[in-house]
Amino acid sequence: MRLAALLLGVLIAQDPGSRPTFTSRADLVVLQVSVLDRRAGFVPGLPREAFVVRENGRVQPITMFDQDDTPVTVGLVIDNSTSMVPRLDAVRAAGLAFAESSHPADELFTINFNERVWPGLPPDQPFTSDHGVLRDALARSMARGMTALFDALLAALQHLDRGTQARKVLLLVSDGGDNASRARFADVLDAALRRDVVIYTICLADGLDREAKPQLLRQLASVTGGESFFPKSNGEITPTLQRIARDIRSSYTIGYVPPRTAADGLKRKVEVDLQGRQYDRFAVRARSLYIAPGDGGGV
């Protein structure tokens, strides 16, 4: 996991009324945590003491905690293969609705793919907060050809590294199928686990699509602390992306210093729970794995 550039530390200003400011810390594991009430939606305002974090089964002291609505660097990774022809207009509209529901200072970018991969923004503009520019980027997509999903995800993960916001998110719109990539799913999973990134997946597949791989989309979202969605119609795509925007803006940021033994280049299991019977009706979602530094590898 590239901790130096992608994981965060927090310095709390002396004035207790001021907002925390973030700085890079190479020895901090940072988690984006969503808490949901099964009846009432996202749950704000929980104290640090409500949370418990475990790495490989052992409780870790929480050294950073924040629940402010802060900007993110977020990429829309959009399938432009032939299977998306009946969906693409709805996806474009949903992408813009997502931006309009997001923090106004978010750094946005798009990655399009069929058998090739290309950015929606101009080469000299890696990110934008301008919704008009994003609309133009979304309009540059065109559905045809095969599907290089894994190549596109690697490109998007590498593009995230250029972002200046502390939190990183990807939204993938696809059916999970791939018939044109050089990369493998294992390469994508490895790259995601080495980064502090939350991935949401929107699976647009019908029952007749034999190449669709919804299980891959579920796995990618689950291990990174995101969520998978399966809209049944074009009309459900926009509400889905708007819900994701609310999720991002409602999440908690929790950090801890991992044990020294974690610097071994191996996968580390992470669990985040709430402690207290008053929280029994709440569900917690956060990344479940990360790859510790130590092997010098990663994409």
Side-chain angles (χ1 to χ4, degrees):
M1 200 172 195
R2 295 180 181 176
L3 298 179
L6 293 173
L7 296 184
L8 314 175
V10 63
L11 299 176
I12 305 299
Q14 301 247 339
D15 179 1
S18 65
R19 290 187 55 168
T21 57
F22 296 100
T23 184
S24 176
R25 278 277 303 278
D27 58 351
L28 198 68
V29 174
V30 174
L31 308 169
Q32 305 304 320
V33 180
S34 295
V35 180
L36 298 98
D37 186 324
R38 295 177 179 87
R39 297 188 297 269
F42 300 109
V43 180
L46 297 180
R48 176 198 299 244
E49 294 74 23
F51 294 86
V52 58
V53 177
R54 296 179 178 87
E55 181 175 299
N56 285 353
R58 295 187 176 183
V59 174
Q60 305 298 320
I62 294 173
T63 57
M64 185 193 79
F65 183 83
D66 182 48
Q67 54 182 309
D68 287 336
D69 176 16
T70 55
V72 301
T73 298
V74 55
L76 302 174
V77 187
I78 300 174
D79 191 336
N80 282 250
S81 63
T82 300
S83 63
M84 288 290 290
V85 169
R87 303 277 206 171
L88 201 52
D89 286 344
V91 170
R92 290 169 179 157
L96 193 59
F98 167 82
E100 291 170 347
S101 300
S102 299
H103 194 288
D106 282 356
E107 292 180 329
L108 301 161
F109 70 96
T110 68
I111 294 291
N112 302 311
F113 66 96
N114 43 37
E115 66 268 16
R116 66 186 185 92
V117 179
W118 70 98
L121 294 172
D124 61 346
Q125 187 175 11
F127 304 100
T128 186
S129 298
D130 187 315
H131 295 173
V133 173
L134 181 67
R135 182 187 296 107
D136 292 342
L138 292 168
R140 293 189 182 99
S141 56
M142 181 177 296
R144 64 186 180 191
M146 300 171 69
T147 312
L149 168 62
F150 304 151
D151 288 349
L153 281 168
L154 285 182
L157 287 166
Q158 291 165 359
H159 195 97
L160 278 177
D161 294 346
R162 303 169 64 186
T164 62
Q165 300 298 351
R167 298 192 293 153
K168 307 289 196 297
V169 177
L170 288 182
L171 273 65
L172 169 64
V173 182
S174 181
D175 60 10
D178 190 308
N179 54 24
S181 284
R182 296 180 179 178
R184 304 165 300 160
F185 180 70
D187 300 324
V188 173
L189 192 59
D190 182 88
L193 293 179
R194 294 177 188 276
R195 290 167 166 84
D196 175 35
V197 57
V198 179
I199 301 178
Y200 296 85
T201 61
I202 300 91
C203 182
L204 302 181
D206 57 50
L208 301 178
D209 189 350
R210 295 183 178 181
E211 293 189 346
K213 298 286 192 300
Q215 68 275 16
L216 296 186
L217 301 185
R218 287 191 183 96
Q219 182 180 357
L220 193 61
S222 176
V223 298
T224 62
E227 191 172 357
S228 293
F229 298 89
F230 299 84
K232 296 180 180 178
S233 68
N234 285 358
E236 294 181 5
I237 300 174
T238 288
T240 296
L241 267 70
Q242 290 173 324
R243 182 193 182 282
I244 293 172
R246 292 195 299 273
D247 190 351
I248 294 168
R249 300 188 72 172
S250 304
S251 65
Y252 298 81
T253 302
I254 295 176
Y256 69 95
V257 178
R260 290 185 179 276
T261 55
D264 51 16
L266 300 178
K267 291 180 181 177
R268 316 294 296 189
K269 183 178 179 181
V270 180
E271 300 170 277
V272 182
D273 295 307
L274 294 172
Q275 47 189 356
R277 295 186 62 182
Q278 68 271 34
Y279 304 127
D280 284 351
R281 72 179 187 276
F282 298 160
V284 179
R285 189 178 71 247
R287 73 183 302 121
S288 59
L289 290 173
Y290 77 93
I291 295 178
D295 63 353
V299 178

